[in-house]
Amino acid sequence: QVQLVETGGGAVQAGGSLRLACAASGVSLSAFRQYCMTWFRQAPGKVREGVATIFSTGTTEYTTSAQGRFTISRDNANYSLYLELTNLKPEDTAMYYCAAGLGREYGCGDARGMDHWGKGTLVTISS
């Protein structure tokens, strides 16, 4: 059973930074390497949205709001995924989830394309 555990959330002021981490277990290294991995977030009253994706090749994709402020990376040897958040804004306040999968049918930026999910870590940005 693949398990994903997010850490690193917290409360910071606007303009601040955070580094989120996601640790995977219950998966072989060969399988983990094949996963695309995405950070999603869900703000109160809003739908869950993909923020940043990193493919098995190392290629990255970002939403417009994340481009230039967030950096996604992965460390396959340590079964880990990261998201560096900088220049944070109040509208970045949300629960952040890490997800892994093969992106079948819907792609890696769509929640329906992901197979495994963490329980989330809360990011709160004050103005």
Side-chain angles (χ1 to χ4, degrees):
Q1 184 81 357
V2 178
Q3 291 190 326
L4 302 175
V5 178
E6 303 94 336
T7 56
V12 299
Q13 291 188 326
S17 301
L18 285 171
R19 186 178 194 236
L20 308 184
C22 172
S25 61
V27 58
S28 68
L29 182 58
S30 60
F32 185 81
R33 286 178 181 272
Q34 293 180 42
Y35 286 151
C36 58
M37 301 195 73
T38 297
W39 284 98
F40 291 83
R41 69 184 181 185
Q42 188 166 17
K46 295 191 176 181
V47 299
R48 189 172 298 190
E49 63 171 350
V51 173
T53 296
I54 186 164
F55 296 90
S56 59
T57 58
T59 301
T60 57
E61 288 184 352
Y62 298 91
T63 58
T64 301
S65 63
Q67 186 74 46
R69 298 190 301 127
F70 298 176
T71 303
I72 189 171
S73 61
R74 64 192 294 168
D75 179 352
N76 290 334
N78 288 300
Y79 298 85
S80 294
L81 176 72
Y82 303 99
L83 186 67
E84 295 274 0
L85 311 172
T86 64
N87 191 21
L88 284 160
K89 304 175 181 180
E91 53 264 41
D92 294 317
T93 294
M95 187 71 81
Y96 282 71
Y97 299 90
C98 119
L102 299 178
R104 294 188 187 95
E105 188 174 2
Y106 296 102
C108 299
D110 189 312
R112 296 170 296 179
M114 307 307 277
D115 302 308
H116 309 289
W117 291 83
K119 293 184 179 180
T121 186
L122 182 63
V123 172
T124 304
I125 311 303
S126 58
S127 57

